[in-house]
Amino acid sequence: MSSSRLIGVGVGPGDPELVTVKGVNALRAADVVVVPVMDSGERGRAEATVLHYVSQEKIVRVVFALNERSDHARREAAWDAAGERVAQLLAAHASVAFATIGDPNVYSTFTYLAQTIRELVPDVVVETVPGITAMQDLAARSGAVLTEGTEPLTLVPVTAGSAVLKDALNGPGTVVAYKFGRQAGEVAEALRETGRIEDAVWGSALGLESESIRPAGELDGAPLPYLSTLIAPARRDGTRGGKL
């Protein structure tokens, strides 16, 4: 008997046109497609995107404590329950796809799920299909160039603290910040203190009707959507080809 397969499929930041052909094929080939939902039950970005390519009947909604950050025991219990549910699906189906926004290997729920499933289903085969990330989409929509020549690119989740972001901004190259909505005021302060606010841009709900893309200089400290993304381009002197 062949092993069951768990495939993490990156479905991009929200625009259904940004799902790769390989991603669409993986979603359609899987026996079932799991989408993460919060315990409040509303449809998330991953589910909304997947529905453009597979029928509702094929989708299995699994509750994750995606918005739980204070009650560790509750979060762990939710993870265990989600893992058990996916393990049950793998016992009944040869292939289970898990749709995750962005890329399954970049700050993704799938990483933790796969770790749990490997413990519950030791012979499972885990695969991933890469997806377009929010920083790529924001760069395309805003015209911000992520890297040139030998410039480094630093990706920081602001949930790690604004001090981590400030350290990155004081360094070279482009800095991208994820998950900074609740700390928008601290992010704006860090950009101003490091002299990086002039060319920086932020965006949220990319590719959706509520999309917002603005210069970082307009940040006034008011909270933004949790999944907001910031790009602070590298300091450049305008020399063409100078960094090749």
Side-chain angles (χ1 to χ4, degrees), residues 193-211:
E193 287 183 6
T194 56
R196 302 289 294 270
I197 199 165
E198 184 176 348
D199 296 323
V201 63
W202 70 268
S204 64
L206 301 173
L208 305 177
E209 288 186 7
S210 56
E211 174 181 279

Side-chain angles (χ1 to χ4, degrees), residues 19-236:
V19 184
T20 67
V21 173
K22 187 170 185 176
V24 172
N25 289 340
L27 293 172
R28 289 176 173 168
D31 297 319
V32 295
V33 178
V34 172
V35 295
V37 297
M38 294 190 293
D39 52 11
S40 53
E42 70 261 26
R43 178 175 293 167
R45 234 180 260 191
E47 181 178 6
T49 302
V50 168
L51 282 169
H52 283 80
Y53 299 105
V54 302
S55 65
Q56 182 71 64
E57 291 72 25
K58 191 173 180 176
I59 294 174
V60 177
R61 309 176 89 230
V62 175
V63 174
F64 287 79
L66 300 172
N67 58 343
E68 180 56 71
R69 292 174 177 80
S70 57
D71 190 334
H72 183 74
R74 177 177 175 275
R75 185 176 177 84
E76 287 298 305
W79 272 110
D80 290 342
E84 290 286 354
R85 180 69 181 107
V86 175
Q88 292 170 3
L89 292 170
L90 286 165
H93 301 282
S95 63
V96 174
F98 182 91
T100 179
I101 59 172
D103 182 278
N105 293 301
V106 180
Y107 300 129
S108 170
T109 305
F110 181 74
T111 304
Y112 310 113
L113 175 66
Q115 180 180 355
T116 300
I117 294 301
R118 283 190 176 102
E119 296 173 358
L120 296 173
V121 188
D123 63 343
V124 67
V125 175
V126 177
E127 304 171 2
T128 57
V129 177
I132 301 296
T133 61
M135 64 178 168
Q136 293 169 286
D137 195 13
L138 178 58
R141 294 176 186 277
S142 67
V145 175
L146 286 171
T147 56
E148 290 182 353
T150 58
E151 294 171 354
L153 174 65
T154 304
L155 176 59
V156 177
V158 182
T159 47
S162 58
V164 177
L165 174 62
K166 191 176 295 185
D167 286 344
L169 290 169
N170 277 318
T174 294
V175 176
V176 175
Y178 275 3
K179 306 177 184 179
F180 78 91
R182 294 188 180 94
Q183 294 165 276
E186 296 173 53
V187 168
E189 181 181 355
L191 287 167
R192 291 189 177 96
E193 287 183 6
T194 56
R196 302 289 294 270
I197 199 165
E198 184 176 348
D199 296 323
V201 63
W202 70 268
S204 64
L206 301 173
L208 305 177
E209 288 186 7
S210 56
E211 174 181 279
S212 181
I213 298 175
R214 297 284 187 275
E218 295 182 6
L219 290 171
D220 58 6
L224 302 174
Y226 172 66
L227 290 177
S228 295
T229 298
L230 173 90
I231 297 176
R235 298 179 177 93
R236 298 173 179 130

